[in-house]
């Protein structure tokens, strides 16, 4: 993912990087950073918001999870999450 990102910003690669970090022990912080970079460039990227919601849900921070799931829904009402 980093090789692709060296050539320029790419939302799919950044989300893939976040997913990879998310599978690692203690990787949630790095995953969150990757997803946040996507939403900074594209506030309509519902997938990144969904992934952030999942991280917060796993951390039992349900208010933050719900806020991100709501952002995902607002960004793309057709996305079934």
């Amino acid at each position: 993912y980093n090789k692709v990102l060296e050539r320029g910003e790419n939302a799919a690669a950044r989300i893939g990087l976040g997913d990879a970090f998310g599978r690692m022990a203690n990787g949630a912080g790095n995953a969150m950073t990757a997803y946040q970079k996507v939403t900074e460039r594209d506030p309509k990227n519902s997938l990144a918001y969904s992934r952030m919601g999942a991280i917060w849900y796993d951390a039992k921070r349900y208010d933050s999870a719900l806020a991100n799931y709501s952002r995902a829904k607002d960004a793309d009402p057709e996305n079934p999450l």
Side-chain angles (χ1 to χ4, degrees):
Y1 298 107
N2 286 325
K3 292 264 188 209
V4 171
L5 292 169
E6 286 173 6
R7 292 188 295 229
E9 191 57 38
N10 179 304
R14 183 79 59 192
I15 288 173
L17 180 64
D19 292 348
F21 277 126
R23 288 192 222 30
M24 297 170 61
N26 301 313
N30 288 327
M32 186 69 77
T33 299
Y35 301 138
Q36 286 172 335
K37 286 183 180 182
V38 172
T39 60
E40 287 169 6
R41 292 182 66 89
D42 178 11
K44 294 285 189 185
N45 192 305
S46 64
L47 182 58
Y49 286 120
S50 295
R51 296 291 209 278
M52 287 190 284
I55 290 172
W56 286 122
Y57 184 87
D58 289 344
K60 297 180 178 17
R61 299 278 309 273
Y62 302 118
D63 288 343
S64 295
L66 183 59
N68 278 279
Y69 287 138
S70 292
R71 287 183 191 110
K73 178 187 63 76
D74 292 342
D76 181 5
E78 301 298 316
N79 184 353
L81 301 175

